[in-house]
Amino acid sequence: MSQHSHTALRRGAIIAVPVIGALLLAGCSGSGGDSDDSGDGAVEFSFTFATSNNLESPYETLANAYMEANENVTITTNPTPNDKYGETIRTQFQAGNAGDVVQTTPGSGDARALIPLAEAGFLEPLGETATSLVPVGSEPLFELDGETYGQPMDFTIAAVVASMGTAGMNGLTEWPTSEDELYDACSALADQGKSLLVVAGAAPPNAGLTAQGIAATRVYAETPDWNEQRAAGDVTFADSEGWAETLQTIIDLNEGGCFQAGAEGGGFDAITNGLSQGAAVGSFIPSGSAVEIATAAPPEADFKVQPFPPADGGDPYIIASSNYTISINAASEKKEAAAEFVEWLATDEAQEIYYEASGLLPISNYQDLDLSDTIYSPVVDLLAAGSYTPLPNNIWPNPAVYEALSVGVQGLLTGQKTVDQVLQDMDAAWGE
């Protein structure tokens, strides 16, 4: 990007900027039509993506910008609820009415993951631009038989998005860096009717992400290649002290007053309302969510991406990887128009729009950005040191493993599951 772009990107990371994004991370329009061009130069295609609320998604912002620059193009956008997004788009693909352009995720471990969708013949191979954006070493998460099926959009940090303004107003001047400091902060905030963390316990994606954020410190900090060892059959979830400690930590956080009351029944609105209204300090959500939440929070909220405190004697570790991709429906009759749009999404212009609207780091040049004065400042040193792991479920072999984790966390919150049961369920879902 140009120097101007770098300046705009840094400015966009300040959470007081009133841009509208979406947490992540619902109608549906099919990919019908006879061709890309109607004969009078007009072009139409549809774009399906996940959303967690009724605010404008970064993908909506991108579609609007593209249409503004190309007056002959009409994009029908299909924002779809995040908690059921994977199942929804798979059903649409099977029924033949999926969008022409579809938001997916890398790898195999999620219901919207691009590898199983490509294996099923639902996705169209993409070109060199998409391939060039794939992070080195992550090719198996984007490619099948030498073809790339998802164009990465971001470099996302999944740690704790915390309002340090709320923390300070409630006597917490520094983010906890140890377990003792963590539970002391939880107790102090609980005494004031607040919570250190807010969890959407009724929303499987957030339940699963919370567990993975904790596992970064309990599993992957010590054994970065744990997923590879699991794939080789050298380890299991049931025999993993790190995974057992991860799940036990969730129980301890809940019982220690670290989560809001009724966390097991909380939806995504509990996160948005809790953080924007000052009832909670932080939540395990993608880093870009600070931008969306900031639109409803006072300027002094001062959101920062904070590492979850490691276990005693452990090292700080976070999740950071490309977690959102764009794919083209193999059955689309608007492939040429869809491909031109996807190509545009990789341009400096589009990447800057995406960053300012979502807060997620742009895949094209995140390594070159100066993040010292942004929401990412607390984790700059961890990124520089390589103290991070890709989102684990992107690497897992099928969506059932992540489902077992997500549902398992919900069971831990309600007391209907034990740690051992959840780990056994994850191993069973993994299969041989």
Side-chain angles (χ1 to χ4, degrees):
M1 289 189 183
S2 65
Q3 181 59 43
H4 170 75
S5 296
H6 279 237
T7 303
L9 287 170
R10 288 195 295 270
R11 183 178 64 248
I14 302 174
I15 57 92
V17 175
V19 289
I20 299 177
L23 274 177
L24 279 185
L25 216 132
C28 170
S29 169
S31 58
D34 296 330
S35 67
D36 285 2
D37 197 320
S38 66
D40 58 2
V43 174
E44 298 182 11
F45 61 90
S46 57
F47 181 18
T48 300
F49 47 83
T51 185
S52 298
N53 48 53
N54 59 2
L55 298 177
E56 182 172 286
S57 161
Y59 300 108
E60 190 91 36
T61 303
L62 285 165
N64 289 336
Y66 189 74
M67 287 188 286
E68 184 176 348
N70 299 273
E71 295 182 356
N72 65 316
V73 175
T74 299
I75 303 175
T76 301
T77 55
N78 302 316
T80 303
N82 185 52
D83 55 352
K84 298 294 183 182
Y85 180 76
E87 294 83 349
T88 298
I89 62 167
R90 180 167 283 275
T91 298
Q92 291 170 357
F93 276 121
Q94 292 170 340
N97 63 353
D100 300 296
V101 180
V102 179
Q103 178 208 1
T104 52
T105 57
S108 303
D110 187 271
R112 71 194 75 182
L114 63 89
I115 295 301
L117 291 173
E119 290 174 335
F122 294 137
L123 303 183
E124 181 77 5
L126 303 180
E128 178 57 33
T129 296
T131 301
S132 69
L133 292 174
V134 174
V136 175
S138 296
E139 291 83 1
L141 302 180
F142 296 83
E143 299 177 5
L144 181 67
D145 298 330
E147 299 277 9
T148 301
Y149 288 89
Q151 181 167 296
M153 287 292 293
D154 69 292
F155 189 76
T156 298
I157 298 169
V160 178
V161 170
S163 170
M164 298 311 296
T166 296
M169 287 186 287
N170 289 277
L172 182 63
T173 58
E174 300 287 341
W175 181 252
T177 60
S178 69
E179 283 191 319
D180 286 344
E181 291 179 1
L182 171 70
Y183 289 108
D184 285 346
C186 290
S187 296
L189 287 163
D191 288 344
Q192 302 175 59
K194 310 289 179 66
S195 67
L196 181 67
L197 300 170
V198 56
V199 180
N206 187 249
L209 185 61
T210 298
Q212 290 184 101
I214 297 170
T217 66
R218 272 65 175 171
V219 179
Y220 298 99
E222 182 176 340
T223 313
D225 65 341
W226 193 90
N227 290 323
E228 289 75 12
Q229 292 187 34
R230 181 62 186 85
D234 297 332
V235 297
T236 65
F237 288 103
D239 293 332
S240 169
E241 292 183 5
W243 273 106
E245 186 178 353
T246 294
L247 298 185
Q248 184 59 50
T249 297
I250 291 175
I251 295 174
D252 294 343
L253 291 172
N254 194 34
E255 294 179 347
C258 296
F259 298 153
Q260 82 278 18
E264 67 278 2
F268 285 114
D269 59 330
I271 296 175
T272 303
N273 295 336
L275 297 186
S276 64
Q277 297 172 12
V281 172
S283 184
F284 283 97
I285 49 180
S287 50
S289 299
V291 171
E292 182 270 333
I293 294 172
T295 64
E300 60 270 20
D302 187 23
F303 286 103
K304 298 290 185 183
V305 177
Q306 299 283 5
F308 184 73
D312 290 341
D315 297 316
Y317 219 73
I318 56 176
I319 292 172
S321 59
S322 179
N323 295 329
Y324 300 103
T325 49
I326 300 296
S327 300
I328 294 176
N329 183 354
S332 170
E333 296 177 345
K334 311 291 181 65
K335 289 179 186 176
E336 181 178 346
E340 290 178 0
F341 175 61
V342 173
E343 188 81 13
W344 175 78
L345 292 176
T347 65
D348 288 355
E349 175 191 8
Q351 286 276 288
E352 182 173 331
I353 292 170
Y354 182 70
Y355 178 62
E356 291 197 356
S358 72
L360 301 175
L361 297 176
I363 189 64
S364 60
N365 76 332
Y366 69 91
Q367 294 171 312
D368 301 326
L369 297 177
D370 179 5
L371 303 176
S372 57
D373 294 324
T374 72
I375 62 172
Y376 298 99
S377 57
V379 297
V380 166
D381 290 343
L382 295 178
L383 291 173
S387 298
Y388 59 87
T389 185
L391 193 67
N393 74 287
N394 283 349
I395 302 171
W396 295 345
N398 61 69
V401 184
Y402 187 49
E403 181 180 359
L405 174 62
S406 301
V407 173
V409 170
Q410 293 176 308
L412 296 177
L413 294 175
T414 61
Q416 296 173 304
K417 286 275 190 180
T418 66
V419 168
D420 288 343
Q421 287 173 332
V422 177
L423 297 176
Q424 290 166 8
D425 289 345
M426 294 173 71
D427 280 324
W430 189 292
E432 297 298 329

